[in-house]
Amino acid sequence: MPATPSRPGTARTRSWWGWGHADAHPDDAECIAMGALLPGTLARPLPIPQVTDLPITRPAATPPPALAHLVTDDPEVRAAHAMGKAYRDVIRALRGRPGRIPDLVARPTAGQEIADLLDWAGEHGVAVIPFGGGSSVVGGVEYRGDTHRAVLSLDLTSMDRVLEIDAASRSARIQAGALGPVLEDQLRPHGLTLRHFPQSFEFSTLGGWLATRAGGHYATGHTHIDDFVQSLHVVTPAGAGTSWRLPASGAGPSPDRLFLGSEGALGVITEAWMRLQERPRHKASTSVTFTDFHQALDAVRAIAQSDLAPANCRLLDPGEALLSGASHDGSSVLILGFESATTRVDGRLTDALDLTRAHGGHAGTPTTNRDAPADTAVTAWRSAFLRMPYLRDGLARMGAVIETFETAATWDKIPALIDAVRTQVGAAALKATGHPATVNCRLTHVYPDGAAPYFTVAVAGRPGDELEIWDDIKAAANDVLHRHHATITHHHATGRDHRPAYDRQRPEPFALALRATKDALDPRRILNPGVLID
């Protein structure tokens, strides 16, 4: 197990090969029990991989003495920075094929140190991969290729402070390396919160959220981190710059938009002024069951097109509801919640439930007091939401092919899109493995004009062929998304895994502008090579 702390001030360690905390993974007995639910999996789990079994070579580059104190070549640290946390990464680790392990890992503490590292890397042909918290599920934090002399993983988690709070404007200047809990711990004494809670909250950073345009807590309204940005400070190989801190501006294309979603390919986000809010004091939530999934879609659309703006509006199809324990009778389940720092939200929940009843929904007992017993379906979903990545890794040890992908499309396409994914991705999985697959769906975020479906695929694989099988399944999924003009990603970013589909989605004039921007800001092509453009 790696010796790298999961966050400052704790004794728990991060798993170098899988999701989250090393001590939270299912044990062998639990893996075997899960495998029994998916016919065709292994009789015994694959062993947990050890860093000592990896082919870690000596670094191919050495930093100058002035930068040496920022850099480590420790094998365990290097292994922990070699990949993200997608299913493909977990399988590669389990099979002892992690790919190119970075030669060095740098942990700068200031923007000038980052600039100095970029200067050195550019002069010596060293690729620089901004790492964030390393929770990428799209191949966004690894090096693929052989055109660079060495690889440096740039870990900003030592830059994790809230530097300044403007109470009047309700905003804060925050270093990009702050992990979610570290950030919120510093805001809490001020009664403020960013309230951006992706599933990776514990293990991802503010800079990572910004660079990948992460989706967060809110299922409606402010769904992406973009909505909270006032200003960015970015260090590029061509120089550093800070956008003006403004509530809004019509002065040309937004400079912040250039770097939001750029995935470290154009520059390194080091600080950001972020819009905050008071911590919520009023909450109300419940679950709603539906016997017909398409009626449930209509109910969610009605809520999204109202002015009720629920904080949580996540629809689980029958398979997803069963998997999370929210329902066991074949029903679809809508998890519905409201919150506010200033006003009671009971009435908004009541109005939303009226809309669900008009579409065949059956509501549970609302919870409007934090001390009251929570709706059992809501509690089950929340627990499963946090536990699911660990269970995925346990099933991967049993030889299962189990992964997720997400998208977004307009409402007119949503029903047919979901049906097509279930049918065609299921058929592709059966063809690739000979085993029937489970293809579940949930809506994670909803908008007046569309929604973001999130799919889970699970099927027994063949020992040693798991990656090839997943690649075939993912190719089938990408084809369905492309035919329905659904985006390749709603909030997981593009990385390297989604590049082919991203290239088909973006307009060619924009691709020309992006290439020119890369040439201007990173002329030596050292920053995250292969992400967004070649």
Side-chain angles (χ1 to χ4, degrees):
M1 298 296 179
T4 304
S6 60
R7 53 168 294 209
T10 71
R12 300 184 79 181
T13 59
R14 288 281 298 274
S15 169
W16 75 267
W17 65 272
W19 183 264
H21 297 296
D23 60 4
H25 282 276
D27 61 20
D28 286 3
E30 189 175 359
C31 289
I32 292 170
M34 289 190 295
L37 302 177
L38 198 62
T41 53
L42 302 174
R44 306 251 349 139
L46 295 170
I48 292 176
Q50 303 297 317
V51 172
T52 52
D53 295 331
L54 300 179
I56 301 179
T57 59
R58 292 178 60 84
T62 302
L67 299 176
H69 66 289
L70 302 175
V71 175
T72 181
D73 62 0
D74 178 271
E76 291 194 359
V77 177
R78 291 167 62 191
H81 287 74
M83 301 178 297
K85 302 302 181 185
Y87 169 77
R88 298 185 87 258
D89 305 322
V90 171
I91 286 295
R92 286 189 294 163
L94 289 170
R95 294 296 183 184
R97 304 196 300 265
R100 176 70 179 268
I101 293 173
D103 297 85
L104 302 165
V105 176
R107 289 196 174 102
T109 60
Q112 185 57 53
E113 293 174 349
I114 295 173
D116 293 342
L117 286 163
L118 294 184
D119 287 344
W120 167 74
E123 292 171 2
H124 292 83
V126 176
V128 178
I129 313 295
F131 190 74
S135 62
S136 172
V137 292
V138 292
V141 295
E142 65 181 85
Y143 181 83
R144 297 179 190 171
D146 56 8
T147 58
H148 293 79
R149 173 187 171 195
V151 179
L152 173 74
S153 180
L154 189 64
D155 185 326
L156 266 63
T157 52
S158 293
M159 299 173 61
D160 65 353
R161 309 314 300 164
V162 174
L163 300 173
E164 187 177 352
I165 290 180
D166 176 358
S169 303
R170 211 165 59 183
S171 54
R173 181 165 64 98
I174 307 168
Q175 291 181 308
L179 293 161
V182 175
L183 187 160
E184 287 293 334
D185 285 349
Q186 294 176 74
L187 295 177
R188 189 173 292 106
H190 301 274
L192 297 171
T193 176
L194 180 61
R195 206 141 184 80
H196 182 80
F197 299 134
Q199 190 176 36
S200 62
F201 172 74
E202 284 185 274
F203 312 111
S204 54
T205 63
L206 173 63
W209 302 341
L210 297 167
T212 60
R213 299 183 64 198
H217 168 71
Y218 293 104
T220 68
H222 300 307
T223 59
H224 277 77
I225 195 66
D226 312 31
D227 301 315
F228 301 99
V229 175
Q230 259 189 352
S231 167
L232 296 180
H233 181 78
V234 183
V235 176
T236 80
T242 306
S243 59
W244 282 22
R245 184 177 157 230
L246 298 166
S249 174
S254 166
D256 295 336
R257 286 282 175 185
L258 181 64
F259 296 102
L260 289 169
S262 64
E263 302 185 41
L266 302 179
V268 181
I269 299 170
T270 62
E271 293 179 10
W273 273 98
M274 303 298 295
R275 298 181 177 96
L276 306 177
Q277 54 193 297
E278 295 179 30
R279 305 185 72 81
R281 294 191 294 272
H282 306 280
K283 295 185 179 183
S285 63
T286 193
S287 63
V288 184
T289 59
F290 296 84
T291 57
D292 185 290
F293 181 71
H294 286 272
Q295 278 191 296
L297 289 175
D298 291 338
V300 171
R301 177 164 58 87
I303 293 171
Q305 292 176 346
S306 72
D307 60 355
L308 295 173
N312 204 355
C313 188
R314 300 177 192 266
L315 176 63
L316 318 178
D317 76 357
E320 193 74 13
L322 178 63
L323 188 65
S324 67
S327 173
H328 299 277
D329 62 0
S331 298
S332 299
V333 177
L334 174 62
I335 306 297
L336 197 55
F338 293 83
E339 62 182 45
S340 172
T342 57
T343 59
R344 293 183 63 87
V345 293
D346 316 43
R348 286 158 59 193
L349 176 61
T350 298
D351 291 344
L353 292 178
D354 288 342
L355 292 175
T356 66
R357 292 187 187 98
H359 295 280
H362 301 276
T365 302
T367 300
T368 56
N369 185 314
R370 226 178 287 192
D371 298 324
D375 182 294
T376 55
V378 175
T379 301
W381 166 78
R382 185 178 293 115
S383 175
F385 178 74
L386 297 174
R387 184 66 178 153
M388 196 58 65
Y390 294 102
L391 301 183
R392 179 207 64 179
D393 292 357
L395 279 168
R397 291 184 61 202
M398 296 301 298
V401 177
I402 177 167
E403 184 59 301
T404 64
F405 63 94
E406 36 78 50
T407 184
T410 50
W411 280 115
D412 60 313
K413 299 181 178 72
I414 287 292
L417 169 66
I418 293 174
D419 290 345
V421 167
R422 285 175 177 152
T423 300
Q424 294 169 42
V425 171
L430 178 61
K431 181 180 178 180
T433 66
H435 297 289
T438 297
V439 183
N440 296 334
C441 177
R442 68 180 186 266
L443 300 188
T444 61
H445 301 78
V446 294
Y447 306 90
D449 54 346
Y454 192 115
F455 298 95
T456 301
V457 183
V459 64
R462 288 189 306 274
D465 293 335
E466 297 93 345
L467 292 184
E468 291 76 8
I469 290 170
W470 172 245
D471 287 345
D472 288 344
I473 294 171
K474 189 64 166 66
N478 290 354
D479 286 343
V480 175
L481 300 184
H482 185 70
R483 287 199 306 272
H484 287 79
H485 278 210
T487 182
I488 187 58
T489 178
H490 172 263
H491 59 267
H492 280 170
T494 300
R496 292 164 180 81
D497 295 344
H498 289 161
R499 264 297 305 282
Y502 174 66
D503 288 351
R504 290 197 292 175
Q505 179 177 326
R506 67 185 178 192
E508 184 55 29
F510 178 77
L512 289 172
L514 191 57
R515 293 186 194 106
T517 303
K518 177 73 169 177
D519 288 338
L521 297 179
D522 183 21
R524 289 168 167 163
R525 300 290 180 117
I526 61 170
L527 281 174
N528 220 357
V531 167
L532 299 183
I533 56 176
D534 294 328

